[in-house]
Amino acid sequence: MAKKKSAAKSVAPISVVTGGAGFLGSHLTDLLLSKGHQVIAIDNLVTGSTDNIAHLAGNPAFRFIHQDVTEFLFLEGPVDYVWHFASPASPIDYLELPIQTLKVGSLGTHKALGLARNKGARFLLTSTSEIYGDPLEHPQTESYWGNVNIIGPRGCYDESKRFAEAITMAYNRQHGIETRIVRIFNTYGPRMRLNDGRVVPAFIGQALENKPITVFGDGKQTRSFCYVSDLIEGIYRLMMSDYSLPVNIGNPNEMTMLEFAREIIGATRSKSRLVHRPLPQDDPKQRRPDIGLAEKLLGWKPVVPLKDGLETTIKYFRGRS
Ligand code: UDP
């Protein structure tokens, strides 16, 4: 069977990154190149941008393919690792693109798994804390099955990723391919889109222009924010591990959106005031990863304090606004 063309055979490991022009995919690409991988990034640029990979133009270890990963993926030559990062990931993106979101999580994951199987490559799925829905268990451990409204506005993302996890395990069990599943919690850093609607770019953009900061609902809902370099390091370690069940990667530093708004106002020295806007339907009330498994398995935990991560992120957004 296709299985054992081992990663160790290639001199430079060859990695395929779906969603390679996105926020996380482009940071992963940078890390892989720095570790001596050759990287083939595939992206249909629906939410990704060539700006995120422009600095790699002319790098002989890097290749970009403009393709939708829900279409058949054909690549010549060996592949050692498939990192499946492609998906809209911000609530306003998947509200606008519910069908594409469902397709990339289902058909796209199927195609990416097919590529991994065909090449005998190891496969990593980027899943999400969204599979826990509006969680009734807190903090969330990997053994929690979640509380998802299947037919609500976020269902397209939650269910596409739940399906993606299921098909990844099916390929692992039926075809014996090596698979990894990371459940990513809220992450921030340079290369987020200023207008992607997520709370980090929204608040920073508003603060930099001294516009009102839009706190949804009463602002008592919580999130826990992880800086992008910490997240990517954790994902890299997971791929290189031998563990095939899901692993949470995120920062357990939990805060309310009101606290976060004040943090952003302080960090930008903004004159913005807070305004409240309606809470979107099914907005999870609380979210914090239990990262005990990642600590034990990967010797990983986040090291970038919120203040430092925000400083770098704010500098990035200042340069672009
Ligand atoms: N949020 C907010 N104001 C905004 C954007 C988001 O208060 O302008 C809140 C949102 O309701 C949620 C949290 O911030 O409770 C995080 O939202 P985000 O869209 O970043 O991602 P989520 O964690 O919900 O997937």
Side-chain angles (χ1 to χ4, degrees):
M1 287 241 298
K3 193 182 170 191
K4 292 282 174 205
K5 263 179 258 157
S6 137
K9 273 190 197 158
S10 314
V11 182
I14 301 175
S15 276
V16 170
V17 181
T18 75
F23 164 46
L24 297 182
S26 66
H27 281 285
L28 173 73
T29 295
D30 287 342
L31 181 82
L32 293 175
L33 289 169
S34 78
K35 290 187 183 286
H37 287 227
Q38 290 185 37
V39 178
I40 302 165
I42 306 177
D43 205 301
N44 66 356
L45 301 177
V46 167
T47 57
S49 165
T50 50
D51 289 353
N52 294 334
I53 48 171
H55 61 289
L56 301 176
N59 183 333
F62 177 72
R63 191 173 140 211
F64 176 65
I65 300 175
H66 187 183
Q67 195 193 314
D68 185 333
V69 298
T70 64
E71 310 281 335
F72 184 78
L73 293 175
F74 175 78
L75 287 176
E76 301 261 14
V79 173
D80 300 304
Y81 301 102
V82 175
W83 311 73
H84 184 39
F85 276 51
S87 179
S90 122
I92 63 163
D93 285 341
Y94 51 73
L95 282 182
E96 268 171 34
L97 305 165
I99 297 169
Q100 286 94 324
T101 301
L102 280 156
K103 281 178 73 181
V104 74
S106 53
L107 306 180
T109 304
H110 180 226
K111 297 290 177 293
L113 280 162
L115 177 71
R117 183 181 177 214
N118 181 253
K119 302 290 186 184
R122 192 179 288 177
F123 174 89
L124 180 140
L125 169 70
T126 50
S127 184
T128 166
S129 54
E130 276 287 322
I131 64 106
Y132 299 123
D134 189 2
L136 304 177
E137 180 182 302
H138 193 72
Q140 292 78 53
T141 56
E142 290 84 351
S143 57
Y144 179 50
W145 288 357
N147 176 39
V148 169
N149 178 3
I150 307 148
I151 55 166
R154 302 170 81 106
C156 59
Y157 186 55
D158 306 12
E159 292 303 334
S160 80
K161 291 293 191 180
R162 290 169 71 96
F163 175 90
E165 288 199 15
I167 194 172
T168 298
M169 290 312 299
Y171 265 67
N172 176 295
R173 292 182 178 125
Q174 191 174 333
H175 294 311
I177 77 165
E178 291 189 73
T179 57
R180 308 285 178 263
I181 298 175
V182 56
R183 291 184 180 153
I184 298 174
F185 284 66
N186 293 68
T187 304
Y188 70 100
R191 302 186 192 156
M192 292 186 101
R193 289 182 355 253
L194 197 51
N195 62 351
D196 89 353
R198 280 186 278 197
V199 71
V200 176
F203 283 5
I204 294 177
Q206 291 159 350
L208 288 177
E209 295 189 12
N210 294 308
K211 287 186 175 157
I213 304 251
T214 53
V215 175
F216 295 167
D218 61 10
K220 290 192 181 136
Q221 69 274 31
T222 66
R223 293 294 186 273
S224 314
F225 297 101
C226 185
Y227 188 65
V228 62
S229 59
D230 280 336
L231 180 97
I232 296 296
E233 174 64 25
I235 292 178
Y236 180 81
R237 288 194 198 187
L238 177 62
M239 178 66 116
M240 298 308 156
S241 78
D242 59 4
Y243 189 77
S244 59
L245 296 176
V247 178
N248 290 337
I249 298 281
N251 190 322
N253 177 22
E254 182 182 8
M255 63 184 71
T256 67
M257 291 310 97
L258 276 177
E259 287 165 341
F260 187 59
R262 292 195 188 106
E263 186 81 35
I264 298 289
I265 290 177
T268 51
R269 294 189 197 85
S270 171
K271 297 189 182 66
S272 293
R273 60 193 178 83
L274 306 186
V275 291
H276 289 269
R277 295 281 175 266
L279 189 68
Q281 190 191 330
D282 297 338
D283 197 285
K285 286 182 263 318
Q286 51 182 357
R287 187 182 283 156
R288 170 156 60 103
D290 181 318
I291 57 165
L293 182 61
E295 285 182 339
K296 195 169 100 201
L297 208 72
L298 313 173
W300 174 89
K301 61 176 187 222
V303 294
V304 180
L306 185 67
K307 276 207 169 10
D308 296 358
L310 282 182
E311 198 182 304
T312 314
T313 309
I314 290 165
K315 208 165 139 198
Y316 170 81
F317 282 129
R318 267 193 215 283
R320 296 178 75 84
S321 54

